[in-house]
Structure formats: C-alpha cells, structure tokens
Amino acid sequence: MKLSHRLESVALHGVASLARSLSHSQALGLGALLGSTVQSLGVRAKVARANLARAFPDAPAARRAAILTAHYRELGRVACEYPRLPELVRAPFGEVMAATRGVEHLDAAARDGRGAIILTAHYGAFEFGGAWIGQRHPTSFVVQGISNPSVDAWVTALRHRAGIGTLRLGESRGIVRALRENRFVAMLADQDARRAGVFVPFFGSPASTPRGPAALALRARVPLLMGWVTRRDDGRLELEILPKLEVPDPDAPDAVSRLTALHVALLEDRVRAAPEPWFWLHRRWKTPPPPLAEEK
C-alpha cells in the first residue's frame, strides 16, 4: 500500500472512531469544527469562491462568504455522521430523520414493479437519504471506486451494513438487472462529465452533465425520481422526493437532453433556495461546450 494511502486510512479510522464514540449531536459539533478547520487551510477555496461568484454574481461578497463557511461546516457534519450510517439510518423516525415529503412517489414506483432511478446530487447528507430509502425498498447505489483500496473497502462495507447494494459506475448490465428485480438504483449527476456529457444550462451557463440517468430511465422505461436531504437547525434531517420527471415524446432524438435539462433545472432551483449544502468545491463548469459547428 502506498504511504499516502496508509496515512489516509489511519486518519480516516481515527476520525471515524472518535465520531462513533460521541452522541449524534456531539458528532455534529465535531464535524462543524472539522469543516471550519478545513476551510482555514484553504482547501479548494479558490474553486468554491469562483463557483459562488458564477452562480450568484449579484450577491454581496459577504453573502457568498457566509454560504461558503456554512458549506464547509456542513461537509464536516456529514463526514462525522457517515461512520454511524448503519445505526443512524435505522433510528426511530423523528430521531435523525425528522420529516419526509413525497415518499408516496417512491411507494408508487415500488408498486409499479419496474424499479426506478433515484437521482440526487452532492447535496448535504445525500447518502443518508439513499440509505433511508433503502430501508423501505431494496436500493443500490451507483458508485465510483475510490483510489485508496483500503478506504474503498471501508466505505463499501459501511454501505452494505446500512442495507445498501453497490454497483460500479459503468456496470450497465448490473444496473439493468437491478431494475428488472424491481430495485431502486440511486445515482448522482451533478458533476462535470467532460466531453461525454450533455451540455445543459446551470445557473445560466452550459454545464457538461452525465447523460446516464436520463438515458437509462428512457431506455428502460422506468420512473426517474429526484430528491434531496436538508438539515434542520437542530441537526435532524428532512427528505423530499419530487414527482417523477417526464418529458413529452420520450422517443424523440433529443429526449435525453431535455430530461437532463429538466433535472438540472430542478437542482438549480433547490440550490438557489438553500445553497449551503451543495458541493461548491467541485469545478462544475470545467469543460467548455463544443463550438456550435461541432455540435451539429
């Protein structure tokens, strides 16, 4: 094992052990402190500030700075919750998950018997939301492997203990099989997809977006549901599931682009309403759109 990987693993297990030794509220406090420390080190701060300026060009600098500070603190909270995911997701309703909206859309998809694509974003405690859904209906996460094998194995085992299956990104046969078994397949689609993505508007600029969730839902004729988790001031969480996303003429050549644009627009609405939980540290607009002539 590389020395850097070994050090990462030691640090991870140290923080995880400390977080598990604390109550939920204490772990959240530790996480907020940890997030503030990461911010003080300037980790990805330049990228985040540029993203916030692009998304909210008319907002006062102080407002954007406050969003970023709150974001780092929430990242820390999520990190310190994560080692206790199997326990927290099974806690009695009201202890960690305080409220839900739109769960009937999940239940309808389960009754339909064809599986469903559950789409979310790097927004707050998104894995907790997926794992909570997995307590109601069999669910698999589509995940990208972590370069550190030890960390990857730890995260995979944690997900499995929380009752979640995992499918590797690009494992199309496994995803199709899961849908045929009437499983929910949870995916993320809010990061730069380079030239393989479809360019759709996000905060007024074209952003390369993974086409997979829309393409798969249309091809397999399964519902595409979108949702997110937000945190209350008392630290507890809320889950919202939107009605299934649909576009006219799903067989049209541009149906994937239109469905992708729809879910990206819904994410933009959510981020505008509550920007602090979204992952501002990623270069969302990294890939420029191709010249018009190239798109034809």
Side-chain angles (χ1 to χ4, degrees), residues 57-204:
D58 298 327
R63 169 59 179 150
R64 295 199 297 264
I67 292 171
L68 186 54
T69 294
H71 175 61
Y72 277 106
R73 290 172 65 83
E74 180 61 9
L75 283 179
R77 292 186 191 100
V78 172
C80 285
E81 275 182 328
Y82 197 68
R84 297 175 62 193
L85 181 65
E87 169 193 340
L88 296 179
V89 79
R90 294 183 174 95
F93 189 80
E95 287 188 9
V96 181
M97 183 67 81
T100 60
R101 295 183 297 280
V103 173
E104 66 272 14
H105 305 308
L106 298 171
D107 296 339
R111 289 193 302 269
D112 196 38
R114 295 175 295 152
I117 303 297
I118 308 298
L119 183 61
T120 189
H122 293 82
Y123 189 91
F126 60 91
E127 285 213 27
F128 179 91
W132 190 90
I133 290 171
Q135 302 302 304
R136 300 178 64 89
H137 188 79
T139 300
S140 294
F141 288 174
V142 177
V143 301
Q144 188 167 14
I146 300 171
S147 61
N148 184 330
S150 176
V151 174
D152 188 71
W154 181 82
V155 170
T156 299
L158 191 70
R159 288 166 174 154
H160 289 173
R161 291 202 305 274
I164 293 299
T166 54
L167 296 162
R168 293 293 176 175
L169 189 66
E171 191 181 333
S172 56
R173 289 184 180 179
I175 294 173
V176 171
R177 187 183 309 116
L179 293 170
R180 287 176 178 169
E181 294 171 355
N182 193 26
R183 295 182 68 88
F184 292 161
V185 175
M187 307 179 77
L188 299 167
D190 65 323
Q191 295 199 339
D192 183 85
R194 303 184 180 181
R195 290 296 184 189
V198 55
F199 286 85
V200 297
F202 187 55
F203 284 94

Side-chain angles (χ1 to χ4, degrees), residues 12 59 285:
L12 170 67
W285 295 274

Side-chain angles (χ1 to χ4, degrees), residues 150-268:
S150 176
V151 174
D152 188 71
W154 181 82
V155 170
T156 299
L158 191 70
R159 288 166 174 154
H160 289 173
R161 291 202 305 274
I164 293 299
T166 54
L167 296 162
R168 293 293 176 175
L169 189 66
E171 191 181 333
S172 56
R173 289 184 180 179
I175 294 173
V176 171
R177 187 183 309 116
L179 293 170
R180 287 176 178 169
E181 294 171 355
N182 193 26
R183 295 182 68 88
F184 292 161
V185 175
M187 307 179 77
L188 299 167
D190 65 323
Q191 295 199 339
D192 183 85
R194 303 184 180 181
R195 290 296 184 189
V198 55
F199 286 85
V200 297
F202 187 55
F203 284 94
S205 297
S208 175
T209 304
R211 62 177 68 238
L216 185 59
L218 291 168
R219 184 170 66 249
R221 293 293 195 264
V222 300
L224 177 61
L225 300 172
M226 195 170 193
W228 18 69
V229 172
T230 54
R231 190 181 303 278
R232 291 182 170 185
D233 290 342
D234 63 6
R236 294 184 300 163
L237 301 169
E238 296 184 358
L239 171 70
E240 180 181 14
I241 302 294
L242 304 179
K244 66 179 179 180
L245 280 60
E246 297 179 289
V247 293
D249 192 4
D251 295 314
D254 65 344
V256 170
S257 295
R258 288 187 288 113
L259 188 53
T260 302
L262 177 57
H263 74 66
V264 170
L266 291 171
L267 173 61
E268 180 179 327

